[in-house]
């Protein structure tokens, strides 16, 4: 009894601390681009959407209606669901393994990074996880005794899950396999009350099916065909590295032990059926996702896919841990706590401009969180100086959704872009009438984000934009974090203008290399061009200050790679410069370019770091 009280006190303390931190982070953290699009969907209420069933959008709408147009308000329903999940896991575990084990399972849910951070972001994984745990608890209850309460709980879980995500089909499938592997599960599935619950779950998919039937199966094709290569990829092996890191290594080992136990038919624990059920649900789903990982999408974030199965394993994980030596149990709890702190620290870093800047130039730089507030400020400033009937035109769905949230406008038009297709948003934007072909009768403020395009494809993208809207006037550059997040704002006239394509400038620094240690007089060399009009000069910046004027116009033919380039200066697009570093303090500095176009444009290029060694 004393052990149960202590475990309960620890759980309550952890729940209060973790929930408070999550609320703080959700208040500070800028919207992730997907969250912004879910907000946009919530402003266009419908039964289903191109990328998801309706629940996520409905919850974002509920959040802003209750909490106002702040990101914390939008996230409130998701924070609530995320805060309930540890209690639900604790209750399920306590029902079958005792109070102390239950509170320990709840505490592990609060500490495991993947589950602990649920609710910080307004994403469909939160209601989907909630639905998974509802179904998990209902299944365990129905295995012992089929009654109306258990069937109702199962129906509720299936309903919420069907309204959350296409991936919930997998949760249903894995649960069904686990039940078929158990004699008691097969007996349960013969009960009419269970099939009544399943019928509710089936009916809940009808809005999504209706949407697909009315839109050439666009959502199904994206989720099941277009986003997946369906060919073998050895990168699936990263699952064995990434998952232990994300759930912490020793806890991962304990959960895998739970999963393995499910395949032992003569396991002798109390509540053997429920034990095997939790282990089979978690083990089958984790194994299946690992195997599917060799054939499915690896370009987008997918590390959270095993989470519904992990909840099943967490329910019984404290039972396994209780058999470990005390020092290994302590290390497991310690590593899990450190994992949570690291996960929360990443979100805090992404929410703090000065800390986020430290990751500039790093592959972990959180671009999708960065720069939206300064961009919205710049857009408002530009709109003040433009005619009253000016409308914003976004380069892709990310910009349109993020600016829409900031400006309170859910109907910003968007240019066609591969990103819209890649993320399954084109069909939905088209339904709203927000895909622009570039034609217009009033002025537009065009906003582009060059970083959303692979650099080798960027010039082609600029020419595509020219084909749609006409030659691009000199842009206003909004650059954050040393240019790792850049936006270009163009004031387009009321009608598409004739003439050759004029694009933003392109450049590259060949020497010095990024992160290179340099000293004394630095010899710098590279190339730059601007299609349609060319460049009139290049200045060298160090830490945002002009350090030298480059000699621009040297022979450096890049037209062999940039075959469609129309800069009149080709092949004289090279530059050289020399600058003195002796007055710079030792440590890291940032090297950039200021590109002056022949049309009067001035564009600061993305900066790269270099090091001054200790003298």
């Amino acid at each position: 009894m004393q052990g149960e009280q202590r475990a309960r006190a620890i759980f309550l303390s952890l729940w209060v601390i973790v929930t408070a931190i999550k609320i703080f982070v959700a208040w500070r953290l800028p919207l992730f681009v997907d969250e912004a699009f879910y907000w946009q969907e919530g402003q266009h209420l419908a039964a289903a959407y191109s990328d998801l069933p309706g629940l996520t959008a409905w919850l974002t709408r509920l959040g802003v209606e209750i909490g106002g147009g702040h990101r914390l308000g939008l996230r409130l329903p998701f924070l609530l669901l995320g805060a309930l999940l540890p209690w639900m896991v604790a209750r399920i575990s306590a029902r079958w393994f005792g109070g102390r084990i239950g509170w320990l399972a709840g505490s592990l849910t609060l500490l495991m990074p993947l589950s602990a951070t649920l609710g910080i972001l307004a994403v469909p994984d939160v209601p989907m996880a909630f639905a998974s745990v509802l179904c998990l608890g209902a299944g365990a209850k129905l295995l012992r005794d089929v009654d109306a309460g258990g069937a109702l709980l199962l129906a509720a879980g299936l309903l919420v899950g069907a309204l959350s995500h296409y991936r919930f089909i997998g949760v249903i499938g894995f649960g069904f396999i686990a039940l078929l592997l158990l004699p008691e599960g097969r007996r349960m599935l013969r009960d009419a009350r269970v099939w009544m619950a399943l019928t509710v779950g089936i009916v809940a998919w009808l809005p999504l099916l209706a949407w697909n039937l009315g839109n050439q199966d666009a959502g199904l094709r994206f989720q099941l065909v277009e986003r997946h290569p369906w060919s073998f990829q050895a990168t699936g092996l990263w699952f064995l590295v990434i998952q232990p890191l994300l759930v912490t290594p020793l806890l991962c080992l304990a959960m895998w032990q739970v999963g393995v136990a499910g395949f032992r038919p003569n396991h002798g624990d109390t509540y053997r059926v429920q034990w095997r059920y939790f282990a089979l649900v978690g083990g089958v789903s984790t194994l299946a996702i690992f195997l599917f990982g060799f054939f499915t999408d690896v370009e987008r974030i997918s590390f959270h896919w095993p989470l519904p199965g992990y909840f099943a394993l967490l329910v019984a994980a404290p039972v396994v841990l209780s058999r470990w030596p005390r020092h290994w149990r302590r290390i497991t709890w310690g590593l899990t706590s450190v994992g949570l702190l690291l996960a929360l620290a990443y979100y805090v870093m992404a929410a703090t401009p000065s800390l986020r800047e430290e990751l500039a130039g790093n592959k972990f730089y959180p671009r999708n969180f960065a720069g939206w507030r300064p961009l919205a400020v710049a857009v408002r400033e530009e709109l003040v100086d433009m005619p009253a009937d000016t409308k914003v035109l976004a380069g892709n769905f990310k910009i349109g959704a993020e600016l829409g949230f900031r400006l309170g406008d859910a109907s910003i038009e968007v240019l066609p872009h591969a990103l819209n297709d890649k993320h399954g948003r084109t069909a939905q934007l088209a339904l709203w009438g927000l895909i622009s072909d570039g034609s217009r009768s009033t002025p537009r403020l065009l906003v582009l984000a060059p970083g959303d395009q692979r650099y080798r494809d960027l010039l082609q993208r600029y020419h595509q934009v020219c084909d749609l809207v006409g030659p691009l006037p000199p842009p206003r550059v909004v650059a954050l974090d040393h240019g790792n997040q850049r936006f270009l704002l163009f004031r387009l006239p009321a009608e598409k203008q004739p003439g050759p394509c004029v694009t933003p400038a392109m450049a590259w620094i060949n020497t010095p290399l990024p992160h290179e240690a340099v000293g004394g007089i630095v010899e710098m060399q590279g190339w730059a061009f601007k299609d349609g009009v060319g460049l009139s000069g290049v200045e060298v910046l160090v830490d945002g200050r002009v350090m030298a004027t480059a000699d621009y116009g040297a022979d450096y033919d890049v037209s062999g790679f940039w075959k469609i380039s129309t800069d009149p200066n080709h092949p004289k697009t090279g530059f050289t410069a020399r600058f003195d570093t002796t007055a710079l303090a030792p440590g890291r500095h940032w090297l950039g370019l200021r590109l002056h176009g022949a049309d009067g444009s001035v564009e600061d290029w993305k900066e790269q770091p270099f090091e001054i060694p200790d003298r």
Side-chain angles (χ1 to χ4, degrees):
M1 189 65 177
Q2 185 177 0
E4 180 179 343
Q5 291 178 344
R6 183 171 180 271
R8 179 177 181 273
I10 292 173
F11 171 83
L12 290 174
S13 300
L14 282 174
W15 186 84
V16 170
I17 293 170
V18 172
T19 301
I21 293 174
K22 286 167 64 174
I23 292 172
F24 172 76
V25 173
W27 169 61
R28 292 277 300 165
L29 185 68
L31 285 191
F32 189 69
V33 290
D34 287 338
E35 291 182 281
F37 192 77
Y38 302 144
W39 166 85
Q40 190 173 12
E41 289 178 326
Q43 301 304 301
H44 298 85
L45 286 175
Y49 302 90
S50 67
D51 55 339
L52 289 175
L55 185 56
T56 301
W58 305 341
L59 290 174
T60 64
R61 179 65 176 268
L62 176 64
V64 295
E65 291 294 331
I66 294 173
H70 192 274
R71 52 185 174 261
L72 178 59
L74 183 149
R75 290 166 172 157
L76 274 177
F78 300 86
L79 284 165
L80 176 60
L81 293 178
L84 289 174
L85 281 167
W87 290 91
M88 296 166 66
V89 171
R91 187 174 185 276
I92 295 170
S93 182
R95 183 184 184 94
W96 305 110
F97 304 115
R100 177 177 174 275
I101 294 297
W103 294 120
L104 291 176
S107 295
L108 287 174
T109 307
L110 281 165
L111 292 177
M112 188 178 78
L114 275 182
S115 56
T117 53
L118 277 176
I120 291 178
L121 300 183
V123 292
D125 299 274
V126 183
M128 181 176 160
F130 185 82
S132 301
V133 177
L134 280 178
C135 292
L136 183 71
K141 188 174 186 293
L142 291 169
L143 279 171
R144 187 185 68 175
D145 181 30
V146 177
D147 59 12
L152 185 62
L153 188 64
L154 178 61
L158 294 172
L159 174 65
V160 174
L163 295 174
S164 298
H165 204 291
Y166 285 87
R167 284 202 316 275
F168 193 73
I169 296 172
V171 175
I172 296 172
F174 300 142
F176 195 71
I177 292 171
L179 291 174
L180 289 177
L181 291 173
L182 296 168
E184 296 85 354
R186 296 191 292 272
R187 185 166 55 249
M188 177 192 115
L189 290 172
R190 290 195 291 267
D191 194 286
R193 288 166 292 186
V194 173
W195 279 99
M196 289 177 65
L198 293 174
T199 301
V200 172
I202 293 170
V203 170
W205 290 98
L206 292 181
L208 193 62
L209 292 174
W211 188 96
N212 279 278
L213 286 173
N215 293 277
Q216 295 78 49
D217 297 325
L220 283 169
R221 281 190 287 106
F222 170 71
Q223 294 287 351
L224 302 180
V225 180
E226 294 170 357
R227 69 177 295 181
H228 303 295
W230 294 119
S231 59
F232 181 80
Q233 308 165 95
T235 50
L237 286 170
W238 279 107
F239 181 96
L240 299 176
V241 177
I242 293 173
Q243 292 302 312
L245 291 177
L246 292 175
V247 303
T248 66
L250 291 179
L251 178 58
C252 188
L253 177 61
M255 291 195 296
W256 286 354
Q257 286 185 358
V258 173
V260 169
F263 293 93
R264 285 188 250 156
N266 296 318
H267 201 280
D269 285 86
T270 306
Y271 299 113
R272 179 175 62 85
V273 174
Q274 281 72 26
W275 170 277
R276 290 200 63 215
Y277 167 68
F278 297 135
L280 285 170
V281 169
V284 168
S285 64
T286 303
L287 179 61
I289 290 171
F290 168 60
L291 295 176
F292 274 116
F294 290 99
F295 304 93
T296 53
D297 180 15
V298 295
E299 292 187 20
R300 300 165 190 81
I301 296 173
S302 58
F303 58 75
H304 55 286
W305 287 6
L307 186 55
Y310 287 162
F311 282 115
L313 300 177
L314 278 174
V315 167
V319 178
V320 169
L321 286 174
S322 66
R323 300 167 182 165
W324 289 12
R326 174 177 289 185
H327 66 280
W328 282 114
R329 294 201 303 269
R330 289 179 173 176
I331 294 173
T332 300
W333 286 94
L335 281 178
T336 310
S337 302
V338 171
L340 173 60
L341 291 175
L342 290 175
L344 292 174
Y346 181 81
Y347 282 117
V348 171
M349 178 277 302
T352 308
S354 60
L355 297 177
R356 189 181 63 233
E357 186 179 352
E358 294 298 314
L359 281 183
N362 189 291
K363 66 179 180 179
F364 297 109
Y365 175 74
R367 281 194 69 251
N368 284 321
F369 290 107
W372 303 114
R373 182 177 179 277
L375 173 62
V377 170
V379 166
R380 289 191 180 97
E381 291 173 353
E382 292 295 303
L383 290 175
V384 167
D385 294 333
M386 295 182 71
D389 57 352
T390 301
K391 296 181 179 179
V392 176
L393 177 61
N396 59 53
F397 86 91
K398 294 182 178 182
I399 303 169
E402 288 280 2
L403 276 179
F405 180 77
R406 290 279 179 178
L407 303 178
D409 182 0
S411 298
I412 292 176
E413 291 188 336
V414 173
L415 291 178
H417 196 291
L419 275 179
N420 305 336
D421 303 331
K422 182 179 178 180
H423 292 268
R425 271 66 193 263
T426 298
Q428 190 60 59
L429 290 166
L431 279 178
W432 293 334
L434 298 182
I435 297 288
S436 172
D437 62 0
S439 61
R440 56 195 184 273
S441 58
T442 59
R444 295 287 189 272
L445 179 62
L446 172 63
V447 184
L448 300 181
D452 287 336
Q453 197 80 40
R454 288 187 305 183
Y455 190 61
R456 67 186 185 189
D457 301 323
L458 184 56
L459 185 62
Q460 182 179 0
R461 173 59 183 169
Y462 285 153
H463 279 263
Q464 291 171 350
V465 174
C466 275
D467 291 340
L468 291 168
V469 304
L472 297 175
R476 173 177 175 176
V477 180
V478 179
L480 287 302
D481 302 330
H482 305 290
N484 279 265
Q485 180 70 294
R486 292 173 74 240
F487 301 100
L488 304 177
L489 281 59
F490 304 87
R491 298 186 181 188
L492 301 180
E495 295 182 359
K496 182 177 178 178
Q497 302 297 300
C501 178
V502 178
T503 72
M506 306 275 290
W508 193 263
I509 298 173
N510 291 327
T511 57
L513 297 174
H515 302 285
E516 184 176 342
V518 299
I521 303 299
V522 176
E523 301 285 344
M524 184 177 176
Q525 181 264 332
W527 52 263
F529 65 85
K530 182 178 175 71
D531 274 13
V533 294
L535 293 174
S536 61
V538 175
E539 291 178 310
V540 176
L541 308 180
V542 173
D543 298 332
R545 295 183 295 109
V546 176
M547 289 290 285
T549 299
D551 293 326
Y552 180 71
D555 281 329
Y556 199 99
D557 190 2
V558 295
S559 60
F561 182 83
W562 304 104
K563 298 182 186 298
I564 63 173
S565 179
T566 60
D567 186 306
N569 293 325
H570 286 305
K572 297 184 178 297
T573 56
F575 67 82
T576 57
R578 304 172 78 245
F579 62 93
D580 189 356
T581 65
T582 55
L584 298 177
R588 185 171 63 170
H589 296 270
W590 292 88
L591 177 64
L593 301 172
R594 181 162 291 160
L595 310 170
H596 294 265
D599 59 351
S601 62
V602 179
E603 302 175 43
D604 283 2
W605 191 249
K606 176 182 175 181
E607 299 174 346
Q608 67 182 47
F610 67 94
E611 302 289 332
I612 301 293
D614 291 331
R615 301 181 179 92

